Protein backbone atom coordinates (compact mmCIF):
# COMPACT_ATOMS: atom_id res chain seq x y z
CA UNK A 1 0.00 0.00 0.00
CA UNK A 2 2.88 2.34 0.79
CA UNK A 3 4.29 1.76 -2.71
CA UNK A 4 0.95 2.70 -4.29
CA UNK A 5 0.76 5.85 -2.17
CA UNK A 6 4.29 6.77 -3.22
CA UNK A 7 3.47 6.14 -6.87
CA UNK A 8 0.35 8.28 -6.59
CA UNK A 9 2.47 11.09 -5.16
CA UNK A 10 4.92 10.73 -8.04
CA UNK A 11 2.03 10.84 -10.52
CA UNK A 12 0.79 14.05 -8.89
CA UNK A 13 4.19 15.67 -9.34
CA UNK A 14 4.41 14.51 -12.95
CA UNK A 15 0.93 15.85 -13.74
CA UNK A 16 1.66 19.16 -12.05
CA UNK A 17 4.92 19.49 -13.95
CA UNK A 18 3.45 18.43 -17.28
CA UNK A 19 0.37 20.34 -18.42
CA UNK A 20 0.37 18.25 -21.61
CA UNK A 21 -0.63 15.16 -19.60
CA UNK A 22 -3.57 17.04 -18.12
CA UNK A 23 -4.45 18.34 -21.59
CA UNK A 24 -4.34 14.78 -22.92
CA UNK A 25 -6.75 13.72 -20.19
CA UNK A 26 -9.10 16.54 -21.11
CA UNK A 27 -8.89 15.59 -24.80
CA UNK A 28 -9.61 11.92 -24.05
CA UNK A 29 -12.53 12.95 -21.84
CA UNK A 30 -14.01 15.25 -24.48
CA UNK A 31 -13.63 12.59 -27.19
CA UNK A 32 -14.96 9.62 -25.22
CA UNK A 33 -16.91 10.71 -22.15
CA UNK A 34 -18.34 14.22 -22.52
CA UNK A 35 -21.34 13.27 -24.66
CA UNK A 36 -22.83 11.42 -21.70
CA UNK A 37 -21.14 12.97 -18.67
CA UNK A 38 -21.21 16.47 -20.26
CA UNK A 39 -18.09 18.62 -20.78
CA UNK A 40 -18.64 20.20 -17.35
CA UNK A 41 -18.98 16.82 -15.60
CA UNK A 42 -22.60 17.32 -14.47
CA UNK A 43 -23.95 14.31 -16.39
CA UNK A 44 -27.57 13.94 -17.47
CA UNK A 45 -29.94 13.41 -14.52
CA UNK A 46 -31.62 10.01 -14.65
CA UNK A 47 -29.44 8.82 -17.51
CA UNK A 48 -25.71 9.46 -17.02
CA UNK A 49 -24.19 10.15 -13.60
CA UNK A 50 -22.37 13.36 -12.76
CA UNK A 51 -18.63 13.08 -12.30
CA UNK A 52 -18.48 16.46 -10.59
CA UNK A 53 -18.54 15.63 -6.89
CA UNK A 54 -18.99 11.91 -7.57
CA UNK A 55 -18.10 9.63 -4.64
CA UNK A 56 -17.01 6.96 -7.13
CA UNK A 57 -14.87 9.26 -9.30
CA UNK A 58 -13.27 10.79 -6.20
CA UNK A 59 -13.05 7.62 -4.11
CA UNK A 60 -10.86 4.56 -4.08
CA UNK A 61 -9.10 4.39 -7.48
CA UNK A 62 -10.33 0.82 -8.04
CA UNK A 63 -13.88 2.14 -8.56
CA UNK A 64 -13.30 4.52 -11.46
CA UNK A 65 -10.59 2.33 -12.98
CA UNK A 66 -12.95 -0.65 -12.96
CA UNK A 67 -15.75 1.40 -14.53
CA UNK A 68 -13.53 2.61 -17.37
CA UNK A 69 -12.05 -0.83 -17.99
CA UNK A 70 -15.26 -2.85 -17.73
CA UNK A 71 -18.10 -0.40 -18.26
CA UNK A 72 -21.34 -0.53 -16.29
CA UNK A 73 -24.96 -0.18 -17.30
CA UNK A 74 -24.99 1.99 -20.42
CA UNK A 75 -21.30 2.85 -20.13
CA UNK A 76 -19.12 0.88 -22.55
CA UNK A 77 -15.91 -0.87 -21.63
CA UNK A 78 -12.80 1.00 -22.75
CA UNK A 79 -10.46 -1.89 -21.92
CA UNK A 80 -9.57 -2.52 -25.56
CA UNK A 81 -9.70 1.10 -26.71
CA UNK A 82 -7.66 3.01 -24.14
CA UNK A 83 -4.12 2.30 -22.98
CA UNK A 84 -3.17 2.35 -19.31
CA UNK A 85 -1.63 5.79 -19.87
CA UNK A 86 -4.86 7.05 -21.48
CA UNK A 87 -6.94 5.76 -18.57
CA UNK A 88 -4.59 7.38 -16.06
CA UNK A 89 -4.74 10.68 -17.95
CA UNK A 90 -8.54 10.79 -18.27
CA UNK A 91 -9.21 9.68 -14.70
CA UNK A 92 -6.69 12.13 -13.27
CA UNK A 93 -8.35 14.86 -15.34
CA UNK A 94 -11.76 13.90 -13.88
CA UNK A 95 -10.36 13.61 -10.33
CA UNK A 96 -8.89 17.14 -10.56
CA UNK A 97 -11.68 18.96 -12.47
CA UNK A 98 -14.96 20.71 -11.55
CA UNK A 99 -13.96 21.08 -7.91
CA UNK A 100 -12.94 17.42 -7.51
CA UNK A 101 -9.83 17.05 -5.39
CA UNK A 102 -9.03 13.33 -5.40
CA UNK A 103 -5.52 11.96 -5.34
CA UNK A 104 -4.07 11.06 -8.74
CA UNK A 105 -4.11 7.52 -10.03
CA UNK A 106 -0.82 5.83 -10.91
CA UNK A 107 -0.28 3.74 -14.06
CA UNK A 108 0.56 0.71 -11.91
CA UNK A 109 -2.93 0.85 -10.38
CA UNK A 110 -4.55 0.60 -13.82
CA UNK A 111 -2.19 -2.17 -14.91
CA UNK A 112 -2.93 -4.17 -11.75
CA UNK A 113 -6.68 -4.02 -12.34
CA UNK A 114 -6.41 -4.68 -16.06
CA UNK A 115 -4.47 -7.86 -15.42
CA UNK A 116 -2.89 -9.71 -18.32
CA UNK A 117 -4.65 -7.73 -21.04
CA UNK A 118 -2.49 -4.64 -20.65
CA UNK A 119 -2.33 -2.53 -23.84
CA UNK A 120 0.20 0.28 -23.60
CA UNK A 121 -0.07 1.42 -27.22
CA UNK A 122 -3.79 1.13 -27.82
CA UNK A 123 -5.46 3.89 -29.82
CA UNK A 124 -8.68 5.41 -28.56
CA UNK A 125 -11.14 4.15 -31.15
CA UNK A 126 -14.37 4.99 -29.38
CA UNK A 127 -15.81 8.44 -29.91
CA UNK A 128 -18.34 9.99 -27.53
CA UNK A 129 -20.57 7.17 -26.35
Amino acid sequence: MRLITSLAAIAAVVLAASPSLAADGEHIFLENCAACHRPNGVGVPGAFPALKGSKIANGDPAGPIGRVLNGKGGMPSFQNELSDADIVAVLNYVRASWGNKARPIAPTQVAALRGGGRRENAKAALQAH
Side-chain angles (χ1 to χ4, degrees), residues 16-96:
S18 178
S20 66
L21 287 178
D24 289 346
E26 180 179 19
H27 175 77
I28 294 166
F29 179 83
L30 292 173
E31 291 291 318
N32 296 286
C33 314
C36 297
H37 296 288
R38 311 310 305 149
N40 59 1
V42 298
V44 177
F48 304 106
L51 300 176
K52 177 181 180 177
S54 164
K55 289 182 181 180
I56 294 169
N58 287 292
D60 182 325
I65 293 168
R67 296 269 170 106
V68 173
L69 286 173
N70 304 311
K72 182 171 182 179
M75 181 178 163
S77 165
F78 288 90
Q79 185 160 240
N80 294 321
E81 285 73 28
L82 297 177
S83 69
D84 291 356
D86 291 339
I87 292 171
V88 167
V90 73
L91 288 177
N92 285 338
Y93 169 75
V94 167
R95 290 166 68 89

Side-chain angles (χ1 to χ4, degrees), residues 8-18 104:
I10 292 168
V13 171
V14 169
L15 285 174
S18 178

